[in-house]
Amino acid sequence: MAKKKKEEVSQGIQNVEETLSKTEQFLEDNYKALLIGLGIVVALVALFWLYRIFLNKRNDEAQAQIYQAERYLEMDSVYLALNGDGNYPGFLDIANDYGSTKAGNLARYGAGICYLQLGEYEEAISFLEKYSKKDKMIASIAIGATGDAYVELGNTKKGISKYLEAAEYADNSFNTPLFLMKAGQLYELENNYSEALKLYERIRDEYPESNEGTTIEKYISRVKVLAESK
């Protein structure tokens, strides 16, 4: 029995030695390839962190520049907000120059809102749809604003689709009832009173304390009357 155990232990040691020898041989045969592979990994990690540092620096620059454009938009100086004033760039330049940064992304949203207010609806849609939806609240407004542009272009079906998307995207007591109401009113214009009623009743049941919820009963009563007389 003891002899058998000795043989098993000896065989185990021999197997380990063989495995180690194979590993050593593999390392010797592939030494250069392994070094190159390791070097590539290290270089990629270094490049990633350098790019992150570069992006952060660029974003800081863009943040410093976008402030004035945002102020102009708040003041309803839409043209200056979009194009700048000669001293400070507008949303357009910031979006073009710093597009890969968070501030550059926000500038795309700002440019879209400016174009919407200027009545340039195709441009508004283009910029609003390029906005990368990082912030749920702003993203919901961007989607809803895209709906506004489609409605202005006469495409009410696309407008309804965007309003419903905006309502669901943020799912909060401010954006959701606002865009449900807009979609409901478009359904009314299309004489689709049953769909309008569904949205109005949802506002009443889920968002009774919202601005829309406090006056929704009159809309519900109206579409019920219109549906009966249809």
Side-chain angles (χ1 to χ4, degrees):
M1 191 75 174
K3 184 180 178 183
K4 189 177 179 183
K5 276 198 170 184
K6 268 188 175 183
E7 288 175 356
E8 288 176 354
V9 170
S10 176
Q11 184 63 44
I13 292 169
Q14 187 179 344
N15 290 340
V16 170
E17 286 175 347
E18 285 177 3
T19 302
L20 289 173
S21 295
K22 287 178 182 177
T23 303
E24 287 169 0
Q25 189 61 48
F26 174 81
L27 290 173
E28 284 179 15
D29 294 342
N30 298 277
Y31 179 71
K32 286 185 179 179
L34 288 170
L35 275 182
I36 291 169
L38 181 60
I40 290 170
V41 171
V42 170
L44 287 173
V45 171
L47 282 173
F48 171 77
W49 283 109
L50 285 172
Y51 183 65
R52 286 288 299 271
I53 292 167
F54 170 76
L55 271 188
N56 288 336
K57 183 181 177 183
R58 294 279 291 168
N59 188 59
D60 289 343
E61 291 173 9
Q63 287 282 10
Q65 295 189 25
I66 202 172
Y67 172 75
Q68 188 60 44
E70 290 173 333
R71 284 200 63 194
Y72 278 134
L73 186 58
E74 289 170 4
M75 295 160 56
D76 290 328
S77 299
V78 181
Y79 184 84
L80 291 176
L82 182 64
N83 297 292
D85 60 8
N87 294 314
Y88 295 94
F91 289 127
L92 271 184
D93 284 338
I94 296 168
N96 289 331
D97 295 342
Y98 300 92
S100 58
T101 67
K102 290 180 181 178
N105 182 44
L106 189 60
R108 283 193 284 270
Y109 164 78
I113 295 298
C114 288
Y115 276 124
L116 181 64
Q117 293 188 27
L118 290 169
E120 298 184 40
Y121 303 118
E122 296 283 2
E123 289 292 336
I125 292 168
S126 176
F127 274 90
L128 290 168
E129 289 189 338
K130 287 175 186 173
Y131 169 70
S132 179
K133 299 168 179 62
K134 302 292 186 182
D135 182 290
K136 277 191 169 289
M137 178 71 81
I138 296 176
S140 176
I141 296 170
I143 296 166
T146 307
D148 292 340
Y150 277 116
V151 171
E152 293 293 343
L153 290 169
N155 192 340
T156 54
K157 289 191 184 303
K158 192 72 174 178
I160 289 171
S161 172
K162 286 296 178 181
Y163 289 149
L164 293 176
E165 183 185 347
E168 300 306 325
Y169 199 89
D171 190 22
N172 60 56
S173 59
F174 177 79
N175 293 39
T176 303
L178 170 65
F179 292 119
L180 289 176
M181 176 65 82
K182 286 192 170 193
Q185 289 173 326
L186 286 183
Y187 275 132
E188 279 197 67
L189 288 175
E190 294 189 337
N191 299 324
N192 192 341
Y193 303 122
S194 61
E195 289 301 318
L197 181 60
K198 286 178 188 176
L199 297 183
Y200 294 156
E201 287 179 338
R202 183 179 167 190
I203 293 170
R204 179 197 64 194
D205 297 340
E206 297 181 23
Y207 306 97
E209 295 181 2
S210 65
N211 288 334
E212 293 74 21
T214 57
T215 59
I216 200 64
E217 286 296 345
K218 68 180 182 182
Y219 293 92
I220 291 173
S221 299
R222 183 176 70 201
V223 292
K224 283 182 176 178
V225 170
L226 290 170
E228 288 171 3
S229 63
K230 189 176 177 182

